[in-house]
């Protein structure tokens, strides 16, 4: 890291008097060796500094390759850590956008307990976990994502559970694409319960891929983000990338593969047990789902909820739970999730019965 920071005893421009009246206010000056990267770090019209000010309640002023941050000591420390993270990302050849800035701020806030105040020097350099393929590098944007990526690195079975917009499915597919690209596994298997079709896929038109494609679209979107489209198409043709509807997984042993089960909250207890016991030699499994969005019939136990409880203390299995504060989509998504979480549960209404007719609907 080529960023340098120090904490002067007084503020520039005759502001030392301010310090005597507000002892809890300090400032940090951070210098960056590469002027070009420093310019990219600030963003167009210093937009990245504006995000820093808004999220941390500090004042941030750039002069050349230096940034002066003024505010509460802990907020200044968090701002310095966030800028350090972003500068390292630029040094590695990646771009920095507003979402990356917000992610770095979340990570810096979570790492606050590791700081040694008042020197504002960290005990260890903060680093965000990342997933890299030839096409793209994805970096964790909050502590939960960081823990999720690290869990996929060390565990053969990982559960990623939480609300929409937390990145649990996207990161799972990104990690799977990285394993394929590195040659750590030979196959990628995508699966998702087709609850809307009652798993009766034979009634849908087309071949197996066409039948299940509408339910796997989020997985495909992430896959095309991480791998070149022609490689994805070749993988689908050769079987390296396989679409495996949950209803047709029974009896298989999945060896040397990375297997993703998405929307797992819509599995039944027996389906989840069946899926988990498909794990073969040299394979990894990633199970994602939102326990609050179960589409099973009333009274049906969610396989995800049951597995989460039964497997809590099983060695080799890691469970990562996301919350509304981990939402990385539009900020409004997080507020929507919180509003639904606060609402009292409503009783389930039985479906209305219409008049019987001579034919079948």
């Amino acid at each position: 890291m080529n960023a340098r920071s120090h904490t002067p005893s007084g503020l520039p421009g005759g502001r030392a008097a301010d310090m005597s009246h507000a002892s809890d206010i300090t400032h940090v000056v951070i210098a960056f060796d590469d002027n070009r990267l420093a310019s990219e770090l600030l963003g167009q019209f210093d937009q990245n500094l504006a995000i820093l000010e808004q999220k941390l309640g500090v004042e941030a002023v750039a002069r050349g390759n230096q940034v002066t941050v003024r505010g509460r000591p802990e907020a200044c420390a968090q701002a310095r850590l966030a800028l350090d993270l972003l500068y390292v990302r630029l040094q590695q050849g990646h771009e920095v956008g507003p979402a990356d800035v917000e992610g770095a701020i979340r990570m810096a806030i979570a790492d606050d307990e590791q700081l040694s105040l008042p020197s504002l020097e960290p005990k260890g350099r903060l680093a965000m976990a990342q997933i890299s393929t030839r096409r793209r590098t994805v970096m964790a944007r909050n502590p939960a994502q960081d823990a999720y990526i690290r869990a996929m690195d060390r565990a053969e079975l990982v559960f990623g559970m939480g609300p929409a917009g937390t990145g649990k499915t996207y990161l799972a597919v990104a990690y799977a694409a990285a394993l394929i690209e590195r040659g750590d596994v030979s196959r990628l298997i995508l699966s998702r319960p087709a609850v809307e079709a009652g798993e009766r896929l034979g009634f849908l038109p087309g071949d197996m891929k066409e039948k299940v494609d509408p339910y796997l679209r989020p997985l495909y979107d992430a896959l095309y983000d991480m791998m070149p489209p022609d490689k994805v198409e070749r993988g689908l043709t050769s079987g390296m990338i396989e679409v495996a509807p949950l209803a047709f997984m029974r009896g298989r042993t999945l060896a040397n593969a990375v297997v993703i089960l998405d929307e797992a909250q819509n599995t039944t207890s027996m389906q989840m047990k069946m899926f988990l016991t498909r794990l073969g030699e040299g394979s990894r499994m990633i199970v994602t789902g939102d326990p609050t969005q179960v589409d099973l019939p009333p009274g049906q136990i969610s396989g995800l909820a049951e597995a989460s409880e039964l497997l809590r203390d099983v060695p080799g299995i890691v469970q990562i739970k996301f919350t509304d504060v981990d939402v990385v989509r539009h900020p409004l998504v997080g507020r929507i999730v919180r509003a639904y979480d606060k609402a009292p549960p409503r009783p389930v209404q039985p479906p209305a019965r219409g008049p019987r007719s001579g034919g079948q609907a």
Side-chain angles (χ1 to χ4, degrees), residues 66 148 173 269:
Q66 291 188 343
Y148 188 42
V173 177
S269 176

Side-chain angles (χ1 to χ4, degrees), residues 156-240:
E156 293 175 330
L157 174 56
V158 176
F159 287 85
M161 297 171 287
T166 51
K168 55 190 183 296
T169 298
Y170 186 87
L171 290 176
V173 177
Y175 188 76
L179 291 182
I180 285 283
E181 196 170 83
R182 295 200 304 258
D184 292 346
V185 295
S186 60
R187 290 186 298 161
L188 166 56
I189 300 173
L190 306 174
S191 186
R192 194 177 188 185
V195 169
E196 297 85 348
E199 294 283 8
R200 294 186 294 272
L201 299 175
F203 290 100
L204 297 177
D207 60 21
M208 181 53 61
K209 180 177 178 297
E210 291 170 336
K211 292 175 189 289
V212 80
D213 265 2
Y215 305 103
L216 294 171
R217 182 49 51 190
L219 301 178
Y220 281 126
D221 290 343
L223 199 56
Y224 280 105
D225 256 8
M226 299 303 298
M227 299 173 68
D230 59 332
K231 187 170 183 179
V232 175
E233 296 300 331
R234 288 198 304 270
L236 290 168
T237 301
S238 67
M240 182 186 72

Side-chain angles (χ1 to χ4, degrees), residues 309-342:
E309 185 64 29
L310 292 177
L311 305 178
R312 178 174 300 176
D313 300 319
V314 176
I317 300 176
V318 178
Q319 298 187 29
I320 303 297
K321 296 186 178 180
F322 297 85
T323 68
D324 59 270
V325 300
D326 301 313
V327 171
V328 293
R329 286 184 190 164
H330 193 286
L332 188 56
V333 175
R335 295 197 289 271
I336 291 171
V337 171
R338 285 190 289 274
Y340 272 90
D341 286 344
K342 291 178 181 177

